[in-house]
Amino acid sequence: MCFSPRHDLTLPEMEVDAIRKVVEMWVEQASDLGRRYRWVQLFENKGEIMGCSNPHPHGQVWGIDELPNEPAKENRRQRIYWKRHSRPLLMDYLQLEFEERRRIVLENDHWLAVVPFWAIWPYEMLVLPRRHVIRLPDLQENERQSLAVILKQLLIRYDNLFNTSFPYSMGWHGAPFDDAENEHWQLHAHFYPPLLRSATIKKFMVGYEMLGEAQRDLTAEQAAARLRDLPEIHYKEQYHQP
């Protein structure tokens, strides 16, 4: 799925109205494929370091008959929490972040962008709506617009962190498209960026991290603070200002 006819642009360099069209494309693809497949995985791999061989701005969508491993684990844990508390797990988590306000990077009337306390990648991000939303097609018009806004703001900060086109893999998780009761689900997007200390130094998952458990190179609170403090203007535009 191409994001723009201009192959020299990425999402943070596009206008909000253009990003809104990408959001609508995500919604349309989820709605269409959800009629035929149980799981619809929308995702973007950005940057050569993430295995992206085509330089133009684009994402992918896969339709799958069964739940893959990661969403299956999320489905199980969210269902268990719902049965115990009659509330969506991620809605209670959202409230926790609003109370602590240490890991929030950006927020607006409809969305929250936060470095989750369980983050493994240095600048990992969770983006989720502030109301209970099960799937992408359930988003209201104002939520789709404000999603475009917060995505641009977040991705500009990513690029500004090391003054580079910041690589990442991102993807949407929402309820499966089946006949089951899915009130336990809360729509959300994961961002997994690999860069650690500069535009060329990435975090490697090797050795003990692959065989034991992941090691965190900085805390979620430190990552959130660094991203919050970055300019809202893209670094390329900053260089051209008088």
Side-chain angles (χ1 to χ4, degrees), residues 26-35 137 177:
W26 286 337
V27 170
E28 291 170 5
Q29 288 296 311
S31 297
D32 180 36
L33 292 175
R35 298 186 184 98
F177 290 86

Side-chain angles (χ1 to χ4, degrees), residues 38 75 79 134-135 175-184:
R38 187 181 181 200
N75 186 53
R79 187 184 297 279
I134 296 177
R135 302 183 185 93
F177 290 86
D178 54 28
D179 296 328
E181 293 291 335
N182 286 309
E183 289 298 310
H184 56 286

